[in-house]
Amino acid sequence: MPSSIPLAVIRACALAVAVSLACIVAPASPSRASSATPARAAPVVQPQDAASAQRVLVIGGDRNYPPYEYLDDKGQPTGFNVDLSRAVGEAMGVPVRFVLMDWSRLHDALADGTVDALQRTPYSNLWLREAELTPPHTTINHAIFARKGTPAVSSLEELAGRKVIVHPGGSINDILDGMGYEKDLIFSKTPVGGLRRLAGGEADYAVVAMLPGMFTLEHDGIDNVRVVAKSVTSQPYGFAVRHGDEATLALLGEGLALVKQSGRYQELRRKWFGVMDTEGISARMVARYAAVVLGPLLLLLCAAALWTRALKRQVDQRTRSLSDALSQLRENQQQLVQADKMAALGVLVSGVAHEINNPNGLILVNVPILKKLNAEAMRVLDEVYREKGDFPLGGSSYSRIRDKLPRIVEVVEESAQRIRRIVDDLRDFSRVAPASDHQSFDLGEVAQKAVRLVGSSIHKATARCDTHFAPGLPPVWGNPSRMEQVVVNVLLNACQALPAPEDGDPRDPRERGITVSTAAAPDGKSVVLTVTDEGVGIAPQDIPRLTDPFFTTKRTSGGTGLGLSVSAGIVQEHGGSLDFTSEPGRGTTVRLVLPVAGGGAS
């Protein structure tokens, strides 16, 4: 470097490189925090002056779009978007006030300044022209609904020539207009109104956001409408502000990033959307099965009373057969419920994985450029160091941080690769594979994927998780996706078995650990996965009932008693076994044994 270049210019160049490094490192932190440490409250950014401290952010929303945003029975704003906006305000130290109104009035409310921002705005042609949007905070999947008895369709293309109810001004409206269906569209201001009109026969189909539609069917008791096609299209949504309102746009964007980084975003999704993934047995369904099964049974019992004592044994035998059939029917039904829950979870996981992959891909693309820039900048800085001596850089001296700069770039790349591996694992786990899709697979690799998927729960439950995966295990035969579901369920049960600090345990609860290991059986005919926890243990009388449907020792904390029942069924389909040994107060060991593909060693 010629000596004529001012030192101030060199310092500015070095500072720019340091700022670029910090900006790229920051996005990697949310994934690592959410998967390895317990969720923390979002950090509060202090207002810069007295005027900003007194500001109230007025946010508008739809008054009838459950579960995202709506007015509850007391007329108070509630829903996922309301809680998210409130969390963003708390993260930025700005109080938030909500104004919920009809969707058709929101555009004018933003334009005339009645509200400062809208909390649920689609990335549609209309809104991109009329407002500025933050990065998306939600992806909403739309489904096709129809009355029972109406022919099923599987795509938007099959709606040609049919009367279809849609939301005016939304993304579905834009898509169907572009397909030339505008003359057949019937507009409804709300999902509730649209599904009611569909139930009343005003149209053939309705295209509505999936979760609001399911919420409406359940809440309003509409029983003649069903979903015929799930996730026909997905639409991202973000906060919207008026053009030129850069301050509010920056406040909402930064607050949203802080909420996601802290883990609060995922907590809100579990709060509002976790319950939408499950289906219970309604009283009407129970009555229907009772009428079908118990009705004939009662008739048989009444007829048996008129027969002679010689026929009583035949009646008893018939009664036992019907009872066994009813029990098997209920067990199979619960397994179908669990399978549908996993399918719905897969839709949500796929959407989240897609949102993560986009910014992570940008990081991986820019890292080589950053490496090149860093190398060139360091050559310049080294020459300055030789000519001018040491100088301050990035809050320290150049001589102290010189060797750290290349490592920082490597950490960025390693973290981005780790994010990609986790996202790929989530996609594999959420992919719906048929039960008959069997193949040869490594049980150790399945176990490692499961450990990565539940890493957040493990690290929240304990500071000590030991894994021992034996190399060169013989392959087993089966469905790796379904077996991964079993291992995830066993690991989550182990985490929940560890005591919390308030349980009165004299030891530090986080010192109680979990051990996961794989090994080949001595005879070479099977592979064994062992999961051991140092938790509260299981009472001896409860161990034989662990795989019974609906049996759970965690009823008060939300347990359904279906996880181990479904897992045991999957293991049985693979010709394996799931065994439990436990000592109350000291922990539990679960052994999963699967036969080797081809029968193992002779």
Side-chain angles (χ1 to χ4, degrees):
M1 170 66 69
S3 59
S4 60
I5 297 178
L7 184 58
V9 174
I10 296 174
R11 289 179 176 176
C13 176
L15 181 59
V17 173
V19 171
S20 299
L21 286 170
C23 291
I24 294 182
V25 172
S29 299
S31 175
R32 181 159 52 234
S34 62
S35 65
T37 60
R40 300 185 301 274
V44 177
V45 176
Q46 298 298 332
Q48 299 298 317
D49 50 44
S52 63
Q54 299 301 320
R55 179 185 182 186
V56 175
L57 185 63
V58 182
I59 296 183
D62 194 337
R63 63 181 296 163
N64 199 353
Y65 201 77
Y68 293 98
E69 51 193 42
Y70 61 102
L71 295 175
D72 62 16
D73 294 339
K74 297 181 180 179
Q76 297 299 313
T78 189
F80 169 76
N81 291 337
V82 172
D83 281 357
L84 178 61
S85 298
R86 189 175 287 117
V88 168
E90 292 173 357
M92 299 301 294
V94 176
V96 176
R97 180 167 63 87
F98 296 96
V99 178
L100 301 192
M101 60 186 72
D102 289 339
W103 171 262
S104 59
R105 296 172 51 201
L106 290 175
H107 184 279
D108 293 336
L110 180 64
D112 63 23
T114 301
V115 298
D116 299 316
L118 302 179
Q119 60 187 2
R120 182 183 61 85
T121 307
Y123 276 67
S124 64
N125 295 332
L126 170 65
W127 284 103
L128 290 174
R129 289 195 304 267
E130 300 296 332
E132 295 191 46
L133 277 68
T134 66
H137 59 69
T138 306
T139 297
I140 297 180
N141 295 300
H142 291 76
I144 302 176
F145 292 77
R147 287 186 307 280
K148 293 180 179 179
T150 303
V153 296
S154 59
S155 65
L156 296 177
E157 287 75 9
E158 297 180 43
L159 299 179
R162 307 289 187 134
K163 295 297 182 182
V164 182
I165 297 175
V166 298
H167 192 285
S171 59
I172 292 297
N173 191 175
D174 288 348
I175 293 172
L176 295 183
D177 281 351
M179 297 172 69
Y181 298 171
E182 62 274 6
K183 67 179 184 300
D184 294 322
L185 300 183
I186 300 173
F187 297 109
S188 174
K189 295 182 179 180
T190 65
V192 176
L195 292 177
R196 286 176 178 170
R197 294 171 68 179
L198 176 65
E202 295 188 32
D204 302 312
Y205 301 94
V207 184
V208 177
M210 187 167 177
L211 288 183
M214 299 298 294
F215 189 98
T216 297
L217 297 182
E218 179 69 21
H219 185 269
D220 288 24
I222 301 176
D223 57 3
N224 68 328
V225 173
R226 62 191 176 99
V227 177
V228 295
K230 297 180 179 179
S231 300
V232 292
T233 183
S234 299
Q235 179 68 44
Y237 287 76
F239 291 98
V241 303
R242 291 183 294 278
H243 280 299
D245 190 356
E246 299 295 338
T248 303
L249 186 67
L251 183 147
L252 291 170
E254 184 176 351
L256 180 60
L258 291 173
V259 170
K260 289 185 175 181
Q261 178 180 356
S262 69
R264 177 65 175 157
Y265 180 83
Q266 291 301 326
E267 291 178 5
L268 294 178
R269 289 194 68 86
R270 285 192 294 270
K271 170 186 174 182
W272 284 101
F273 303 143
V275 297
M276 301 301 294
D277 297 334
T278 60
E279 296 180 6
I281 302 178
S282 64
R284 181 175 299 179
M285 187 178 298
V286 173
R288 184 181 304 165
Y289 278 109
V292 172
V293 178
L294 297 180
L297 178 61
L298 291 175
L299 291 177
L300 288 173
L301 292 175
C302 293
L306 303 177
W307 286 83
T308 62
R309 187 177 298 273
L311 296 178
K312 188 175 183 301
R313 291 183 179 179
Q314 297 181 14
V315 174
D316 291 341
Q317 183 179 3
R318 180 62 175 171
T319 302
R320 286 193 297 271
S321 298
L322 290 174
S323 297
D324 292 342
L326 180 60
S327 299
Q328 186 65 37
L329 178 63
R330 287 175 175 169
E331 181 177 350
N332 292 340
Q333 183 185 25
Q334 293 309 316
Q335 293 178 355
L336 290 175
V337 169
Q338 184 72 3
D340 190 63
K341 172 183 175 181
M342 295 302 297
L345 177 62
V347 173
L348 295 178
V349 168
S350 296
V352 174
H354 180 72
E355 290 186 21
I356 294 174
N357 252 348
N358 287 338
N360 192 58
L362 292 176
I363 294 174
L364 290 172
V365 168
N366 287 319
V367 163
I369 300 174
L370 183 61
K371 285 183 176 180
K372 184 177 180 181
L373 291 175
N374 185 57
E376 294 177 357
M378 287 187 67
R379 284 197 296 270
V380 175
L381 296 174
D382 284 343
E383 186 172 345
V384 174
Y385 179 73
R386 288 192 298 270
E387 294 180 2
K388 305 289 188 178
D390 205 0
F391 55 89
L393 178 65
S396 182
S397 62
Y398 176 69
S399 61
R400 296 187 63 183
I401 69 171
R402 182 190 182 284
D403 295 335
K404 297 180 181 179
L405 290 176
R407 179 54 186 161
I408 291 175
V409 179
E410 292 176 2
V411 169
V412 172
E413 186 171 23
E414 291 170 0
S415 300
Q417 294 290 356
R418 182 166 178 260
I419 292 173
R420 183 162 64 181
R421 286 196 301 271
I422 293 174
V423 169
D424 290 342
D425 290 345
L426 285 172
R427 284 180 167 177
D428 291 342
F429 182 70
S430 64
R431 187 176 292 114
V432 179
S436 59
D437 187 13
H438 285 195
Q439 58 184 279
S440 177
F441 67 92
D442 187 334
L443 183 59
E445 292 180 0
V446 167
Q448 292 178 52
K449 278 189 178 182
V451 170
R452 289 198 297 268
L453 282 175
V454 299
S456 177
S457 298
I458 292 175
H459 291 302
K460 187 182 296 185
T462 178
R464 190 162 58 83
C465 177
D466 300 324
T467 57
H468 307 283
F469 299 112
L473 287 177
V476 297
W477 183 260
N479 188 316
S481 177
R482 288 166 62 81
M483 195 53 56
E484 186 176 339
Q485 178 184 347
V486 173
V487 180
V488 165
N489 192 36
V490 171
L491 288 172
L492 289 176
N493 282 345
C495 293
Q496 294 165 3
L498 296 178
E502 61 270 19
D503 288 347
D505 191 338
R507 294 190 297 170
D508 181 358
R510 288 184 57 77
E511 291 302 318
R512 292 199 178 199
I514 295 174
T515 302
V516 184
S517 64
T518 58
D523 59 5
K525 295 183 179 181
S526 60
V527 177
V528 182
L529 169 70
T530 305
V531 177
T532 301
D533 66 74
E534 299 176 359
V536 296
I538 305 170
Q541 64 272 21
D542 290 337
I543 291 180
R545 304 178 58 197
L546 288 178
T547 57
D548 291 350
F550 301 110
F551 176 79
T552 177
T553 59
K554 299 174 289 187
R555 186 78 63 187
T556 57
S557 59
T560 62
L562 292 176
L564 288 178
S565 174
V566 173
S567 298
I570 294 174
V571 173
Q572 186 176 6
E573 291 174 6
H574 287 69
S577 62
L578 194 63
D579 302 321
F580 304 85
T581 57
S582 181
E583 184 177 350
R586 299 184 64 87
T588 301
T589 297
V590 182
R591 293 180 77 253
L592 168 61
V593 181
L594 292 178
V596 170
S602 58

